[in-house]
Amino acid sequence: MTTILKAVNLTKRFPGVIANEDVNFELSAGEVHCLFGENGSGKSTLSSCLFGFYQPEGGHIEIEGEIANFKSPRDAIKMGVGMVHQHFVLVSEFTVLENIVVGTHEAGWRLDMFKARSRVTEICNEYRINLDLDAYVRDLAVGQQQWVEILKALYLDAKVLILDEPSAVLTPKESERLFRIIDHMRELGLSILLISHKMIEVMKSDRVTVLRKGKVVGTVTPADVTPQDLTRMMVGRDVELRMVRDRASNLSETPEQVLLVENVSYRDGRGKLALDDVNLHIGKGEILGLAGVSGSGQKELFEILAGVLIADEGKVSLDGEQIQGLPSRQYMDRGVGMVPDDRFREGLIPEFSIRENMILGWQRHDDYTSGMFLNHKQIGIIADGLIDEFQIVAPSGATPVNHLSGGNAQKVILAREFIHSSKLLLANQPTRGLDLGVIEYVYKQIIAKREEGYAVLLASEELEDLLNLSDRIVVMSGGRITGIVDPQTTSIEDIGLLMAGSEKETAA
Amino acid sequence: MTQVNSSVDTDASSRSRIKIERRVNPKASWTFTMYLLATVIGLGLTALLLLTSGADVIKAFTTLFNGAFGSQKAILATLAKSTPLILTGLATVVAFRAQVWSIGQEGQVYSGAMGAYFGCLIFAGLPAWLYITLVVLSGMIGGALLGGLAAYLKDRYDVNEVISTVMMNYLIVFLLSYLIGGGPWTEISTTVVYQQTGPVPSASELPHLLGSSKLHLGFVFAMVSAVICYILLEKTPLGYEIRAMGFNPIALAYRGTNIGRTVVLVMAISGAIAGLAGVSQIFGTSHRLTVDTLYGLGYTGIIIGMIGGLRPLGTVVAGIVFGGLASGALYMKLLAQVPAALIPAMQGILLLTFLCAGVAARYKIVRVKSDG
């Protein structure tokens, strides 16, 4: 097979870190090649270099044997490299066709929409992509928007398609369809570089290049290795992925209700019904899993349960007391802890030190003040104790959290929310973007809280983790609860169906 | 990773390149060097400006310096000039640290002066110390009310604070012009009508310090305000909230702090400090309420707060430097025949070079070997 794209001794540094070091990598024509590695291993940096978004400090990129010096993505596109980012870059008020055509080099001063339409239709037929070209992007589901992004790349004659974690936003059904078409693209001679950390997708590709700490660990053929081998290559050690849960300790059939949510509805700023008549309850010492593709209303639900958002209708009761409508301060005072999904935006003050972040929200609490002043000494003692207890790796408690890795930053939030809450823990995607080692740690901590008698609401994109950890799982789709299932009798496929919106009649 | 990584190729044939990289931890010595460089460049550009106006550059700078810091009398005059500037600078620090972009210091200086003047009329006859205290307090309340109004509009109706404060600056100056230009506060005179009030009661004047004819109690207010601002920002829960709001209001709100209430507090405190500048100018320096003596103090305060790095101590230093520029300018104008209009130009140049230094302090220049 001929090599279409090649990285030779590619090195890219950021202040303080080497994101890629001497990376060598080859993409053959007509293959699906997977870049596999933990967060922060350099996958995204490598793909950004290949797409011309970053300029490497050392080494070079070859396209079909010729050295390519990409100054910007424009150069990469000219050489036939296309990329679909995790976050889509689409104009929601434009139609599909307009999004594909506008801003391309062919557009020039005058748009020939008629010609463009026939080209796009041709591409759709060739790759068996089924999409209404005249639909407005704002009306499309996330999975369909991804197709628009892919079409944008194909319209620009991409020979190499870089897909950055394409299945992260898809339901199991949608991603199945995506991979069917990826297979078809490969048959038609397209080369695909797939960035993923999902084992199933990795095992389906032709070759896998594993990255760890910015370096290539090796390139292997999935047929020759086991998933365990790949995990070991990625992490550098063996990892116990399965959380062993002692379900026997969960014998009391009717646990005391801690949280009761009744008929909660919420309309977002644009008038869309983000939550539609949501009912659920969580008992003492129970983990309730929450599954759903992103944008199904989980975020709004979490915000309402933390008092950050006020529902339009319905009741939220904590230990029998109706608290919906009170300010978030009151929720915190009553023992509700929250681990938000966007940790640097919603959970931390990035420029503040670890110590200062440990008291975020509790800066007026008696423990941290003396008279009208902050008691910095006391804050330091308590915070440094937590740094030890939660094994946060940092030069000192005075280190700003934006100098910490995602995992250590997340531990700061966990430590803060764990010690300041007492009844209910809301954890939205607590393991997103973290290393396996830290994921293991976070889950252990959550289980420990459950043993202490907390009610826990846990949302995760990793359905297997939800199945392993939860006592019950509620599935949301389009702002509605489509089912509440028992993880011991339910398969991932069943949950996938519920995530896609088909209702389940029997609740567990 | 959002660091800027602009690389500049110096020479295509050379194998090493100059690169600009962001510093992980800015070093104090480097920061100092940058600000020193900014001063030198700023003075250099000012010298060019002086040359184009045909003045003797050396003589101009010498008289400027002597006029500002050359004698004890000059220093006291400089400190007197710097008093209101330090206060409006501190008002800027409190607001901007919370990323509340208030441009209302100017208007709050007027409303503070008006509040104090109102106080000096209604509290007349009280014992001296009580009288002065109440006059000063009514001035601070005057500034705080105007600041608080902008904050209320922002919190309740989402009115952008930049727009509302700028508009209020206009409104308040027109109100003052009416009050002292034909309205109830106008000085009754037999010949001509000036835009001013009569002299304030001598019992309400701020006492002078160190036997100086210029330096007055207002300077002590400025110094105490600086210390209080420092303690407020660094040592109190409210200061924590102000700083946190400046960096990430979303996370602060997520963890139970009422952002709207914090904005109102910030603007009220900022307004009270700006109001104090108006009080000290009227009751310490001009001894009557006019527009001329207050004009521009608030806008200059924004520059001073920015140059001071939005820190209380830096603001005091910047305020004294600007007080010196203003004070020395008079001498420069008299002795070196330099147009006084060059002083605001000089202030503008210094602001630009200092802001550049502030950015430059966060980057470093490195040589890298490239093998491409």
Side-chain angles (χ1 to χ4, degrees):
Chain A
M1 263 196 278
T2 51
T3 301
I4 183 155
L5 183 144
K6 194 173 173 184
V8 183
N9 297 329
L10 214 64
T11 300
K12 175 74 196 166
R13 293 185 198 89
F14 291 107
V17 278
I18 298 175
N20 279 159
E21 192 179 2
D22 285 331
V23 168
N24 287 289
F25 159 81
E26 275 178 30
L27 179 67
S28 304
E31 79 163 336
V32 175
H33 195 128
C34 184
L35 275 184
F36 186 55
E38 293 184 271
N39 269 76
S41 60
K43 299 177 306 228
S44 294
T45 308
L46 177 58
S47 56
S48 294
C49 286
L50 297 177
F51 188 54
F53 195 74
Y54 292 141
Q55 285 73 47
E57 268 109 47
H60 63 266
I61 297 162
E62 286 174 21
I63 302 276
E64 291 174 326
E66 273 179 59
I67 291 184
N69 189 7
F70 296 152
K71 294 253 183 271
S72 73
R74 183 180 287 266
D75 296 337
I77 290 169
K78 263 187 214 152
M79 299 289 283
V81 180
M83 180 159 178
V84 175
H85 295 272
Q86 262 183 71
H87 300 282
F88 304 147
V89 205
L90 296 172
V91 185
S92 60
E93 300 305 316
F94 279 11
T95 64
V96 171
L97 185 63
E98 284 166 341
N99 265 288
I100 295 168
V101 177
V102 169
T104 58
H105 57 86
E106 290 191 0
W109 289 101
R110 208 175 56 86
L111 277 176
D112 188 347
M113 285 310 249
F114 186 75
K115 210 174 117 202
R117 179 183 296 274
S118 65
R119 274 252 1 246
V120 176
T121 315
E122 202 178 292
I123 296 170
C124 284
N125 291 337
E126 188 181 353
Y127 292 104
R128 296 174 199 159
I129 298 168
N130 183 15
L131 204 60
D132 176 7
L133 296 185
D134 296 315
Y136 284 96
V137 162
R138 59 162 189 262
D139 298 329
L140 297 185
V142 182
Q144 291 173 304
Q145 293 187 15
Q146 191 170 53
W147 286 112
V148 183
E149 286 283 357
I150 293 173
L151 277 172
K152 265 165 76 178
L154 295 175
Y155 183 73
L156 294 170
D157 300 318
K159 288 173 285 187
V160 174
L161 197 57
I162 305 175
L163 302 173
D164 190 358
E165 303 204 9
S167 62
V169 291
L170 302 180
T171 61
K173 197 106 197 152
E174 283 173 321
S175 57
E176 202 180 292
R177 175 156 174 260
L178 172 70
F179 281 93
R180 226 176 26 240
I181 295 183
I182 286 179
D183 266 349
H184 182 58
M185 288 172 165
R186 160 171 59 185
E187 283 161 21
L188 293 176
L190 219 60
S191 308
I192 289 156
L193 179 59
L194 177 73
I195 298 164
S196 179
H197 57 225
K198 288 194 181 155
M199 195 55 78
I200 313 167
E201 298 167 6
V202 176
M203 295 308 285
K204 276 197 241 165
S205 47
D206 297 317
R207 283 195 295 169
V208 185
T209 294
V210 183
L211 286 170
R212 185 167 77 227
K213 290 179 181 159
K215 291 183 192 167
V216 171
V217 182
T219 300
V220 293
T221 310
D224 302 340
V225 292
T226 64
Q228 284 73 27
D229 294 334
L230 280 173
T231 308
R232 206 174 304 119
M233 283 173 81
M234 171 170 80
V235 186
R237 65 179 170 91
D238 287 305
V239 174
E240 179 57 60
L241 267 173
R242 297 282 148 268
M243 286 300 145
V244 186
R245 270 208 45 182
D246 182 13
R247 284 180 196 276
S249 70
N250 189 27
L251 278 179
S252 63
E253 275 303 301
T254 48
E256 211 179 304
Q257 293 304 332
V258 175
L259 179 79
L260 186 61
V261 177
E262 294 169 283
N263 311 104
V264 163
S265 295
Y266 176 75
R267 229 171 251 286
D268 66 16
R270 311 177 78 189
K272 188 185 142 213
L273 201 55
L275 287 178
D276 185 3
D277 194 25
V278 168
N279 291 280
L280 56 85
H281 59 91
I282 313 178
K284 206 166 156 37
E286 182 181 39
I287 297 180
L288 180 67
L290 179 57
V293 287
S294 67
S296 302
Q298 303 99 312
K299 191 166 182 66
E300 287 81 2
L301 181 60
F302 271 95
E303 290 183 353
I304 283 169
L305 296 183
V308 177
L309 214 63
I310 306 230
D312 297 330
E313 276 168 56
K315 285 201 282 187
V316 175
S317 311
L318 189 70
D319 274 352
E321 184 194 3
Q322 209 293 115
I323 54 171
Q324 152 66 17
L326 295 178
S328 55
R329 172 87 260 146
Q330 301 283 333
Y331 284 63
M332 292 162 70
D333 289 341
R334 283 167 174 73
V336 179
M338 159 96 151
V339 181
D341 61 337
D342 192 341
R343 62 187 74 104
F344 279 104
R345 184 168 168 270
E346 289 152 3
L348 296 166
I349 310 289
E351 291 84 353
F352 270 18
S353 68
I354 300 175
R355 288 182 193 139
E356 286 177 304
N357 271 291
M358 285 287 188
I359 65 162
L360 180 63
W362 301 93
Q363 65 273 7
R364 287 173 188 272
H365 194 265
D366 291 343
D367 286 354
Y368 306 121
T369 51
S370 54
M372 56 190 294
F373 300 108
L374 287 171
N375 188 340
H376 283 294
K377 201 174 148 206
Q378 183 72 11
I379 294 167
I381 292 169
I382 295 178
D384 290 353
L386 289 171
I387 291 173
D388 286 345
E389 192 187 328
F390 284 79
Q391 300 155 27
I392 296 166
V393 183
S396 86
T399 308
V401 292
N402 57 8
H403 288 194
L404 300 182
S405 68
N408 283 307
Q410 184 72 318
K411 285 179 178 179
V412 173
I413 296 179
L414 287 181
R416 181 183 71 218
E417 298 304 321
F418 281 8
I419 60 158
H420 292 119
S421 61
S422 57
K423 284 177 194 158
L424 173 64
L425 185 67
L426 306 167
N428 192 6
Q429 311 291 350
T431 57
R432 180 186 279 169
L434 301 184
D435 296 353
L436 287 180
V438 182
I439 290 176
E440 201 180 349
Y441 180 85
V442 170
Y443 284 153
K444 272 186 186 149
Q445 291 290 328
I446 289 176
I447 291 171
K449 281 290 147 188
R450 171 189 173 276
E451 300 300 322
E452 275 177 42
Y454 275 60
V456 181
L457 180 64
L458 171 70
S460 177
E461 281 161 4
E462 306 301 329
L463 294 183
E464 271 191 59
D465 295 348
L466 278 187
L467 284 173
N468 282 326
L469 288 165
S470 312
D471 296 291
R472 286 179 300 142
I473 296 177
V474 2
V475 189
M476 289 184 76
S477 171
R480 299 175 62 86
I481 288 185
T482 46
I484 298 181
V485 298
D486 179 350
Q488 280 168 308
T489 59
T490 311
S491 67
I492 288 193
E493 287 68 33
D494 292 342
I495 294 180
L497 282 174
L498 293 172
M499 280 166 73
S502 55
E503 303 246 353
K504 189 178 168 82
E505 293 304 318
T506 51
Chain B
M1 240 162 264
T2 55
Q3 280 90 342
V4 179
N5 256 271
S6 44
S7 63
V8 185
D9 277 297
T10 46
D11 182 2
S13 62
S14 118
R15 299 214 123 204
S16 76
R17 296 187 298 165
I18 303 264
K19 275 191 46 110
I20 298 166
E21 265 185 15
R22 193 170 181 139
R23 282 170 185 271
V24 178
N25 289 310
K27 268 196 292 191
S29 60
W30 171 264
T31 307
F32 181 77
T33 315
M34 282 298 111
Y35 279 99
L36 199 67
L37 198 65
T39 314
V40 171
I41 293 174
L43 289 179
L45 290 172
T46 312
L48 282 179
L49 210 59
L50 288 171
L51 278 175
T52 59
S53 74
D56 178 345
V57 174
I58 303 293
K59 195 177 173 196
F61 276 141
T62 323
T63 47
L64 178 65
F65 185 81
N66 285 338
F69 303 105
S71 65
Q72 197 200 359
K73 192 167 163 247
I75 290 172
L76 291 177
T78 290
L79 294 182
K81 279 269 184 210
S82 68
T83 298
L85 301 179
I86 292 172
L87 286 165
T88 49
L90 292 172
T92 307
V93 170
V94 172
F96 282 19
R97 279 293 279 278
Q99 291 212 8
V100 176
W101 304 116
S102 164
I103 314 295
Q105 293 83 332
E106 182 80 9
Q108 291 147 17
V109 170
Y110 294 117
S111 68
M114 285 156 69
Y117 186 76
F118 182 65
C120 94
L121 295 181
I122 62 165
F123 296 124
L126 291 172
W129 64 271
L130 184 63
Y131 186 36
I132 290 193
T133 311
L134 287 174
V135 166
V136 170
L137 277 180
S138 41
M140 292 175 74
I141 291 170
L145 284 178
L146 195 64
L149 177 61
Y152 174 76
L153 292 176
K154 180 182 169 73
D155 178 37
R156 184 75 176 73
Y157 302 106
D158 206 17
V159 178
N160 183 300
E161 72 272 21
V162 176
I163 309 293
S164 66
T165 52
V166 168
M167 291 303 143
M168 277 189 239
N169 288 348
Y170 287 115
L171 289 180
I172 205 80
V173 80
F174 287 133
L175 176 62
L176 179 59
S177 298
Y178 159 71
L179 286 172
I180 63 177
W185 287 357
T186 315
E187 180 176 32
I188 318 261
S189 160
T190 48
T191 50
V192 283
V193 176
Y194 295 103
Q195 284 251 337
Q196 62 182 29
T197 63
V200 297
S202 54
S204 67
E205 287 178 12
L206 298 178
H208 291 284
L209 302 175
L210 304 168
S212 152
S213 62
K214 287 196 169 153
L215 192 63
H216 52 82
L217 191 63
F219 184 70
V220 177
F221 291 161
M223 291 300 107
V224 172
S225 301
V227 174
I228 290 178
C229 280
Y230 173 79
I231 293 174
L232 170 75
L233 287 173
E234 304 297 331
K235 309 280 183 201
T236 68
L238 177 61
Y240 178 100
E241 286 155 13
I242 290 174
R243 289 181 292 126
M245 197 163 97
F247 290 128
N248 186 0
I250 294 169
L252 187 66
Y254 252 75
R255 292 336 282 140
T257 300
N258 185 334
I259 295 289
R261 184 179 145 274
T262 313
V263 172
V264 172
L265 275 174
V266 163
M267 285 295 285
I269 294 171
S270 170
I273 301 172
L276 200 51
V279 177
S280 97
Q281 195 67 356
I282 297 303
F283 292 85
T285 302
S286 68
H287 300 143
R288 55 169 90 225
L289 181 53
T290 71
V291 174
D292 292 352
T293 46
L294 301 174
Y295 180 76
L297 294 176
Y299 293 126
T300 313
I302 295 174
I303 299 177
I304 289 169
M306 295 295 285
I307 289 185
L310 295 184
R311 286 189 175 80
L313 177 65
T315 302
V316 169
V317 174
I320 290 174
V321 170
F322 271 56
L325 283 177
S327 184
L330 293 172
Y331 290 83
M332 193 164 81
K333 185 177 157 193
L334 285 173
L335 299 176
Q337 277 79 46
V338 171
L342 280 187
I343 291 299
M346 198 169 162
Q347 292 175 344
I349 290 171
L350 281 178
L351 173 69
L352 290 177
T353 55
F354 272 70
L355 290 181
C356 292
V359 176
R362 295 202 295 272
Y363 291 87
K364 62 181 171 187
I365 299 166
V366 287
R367 282 192 93 83
V368 288
K369 289 243 189 286
S370 90
D371 49 8

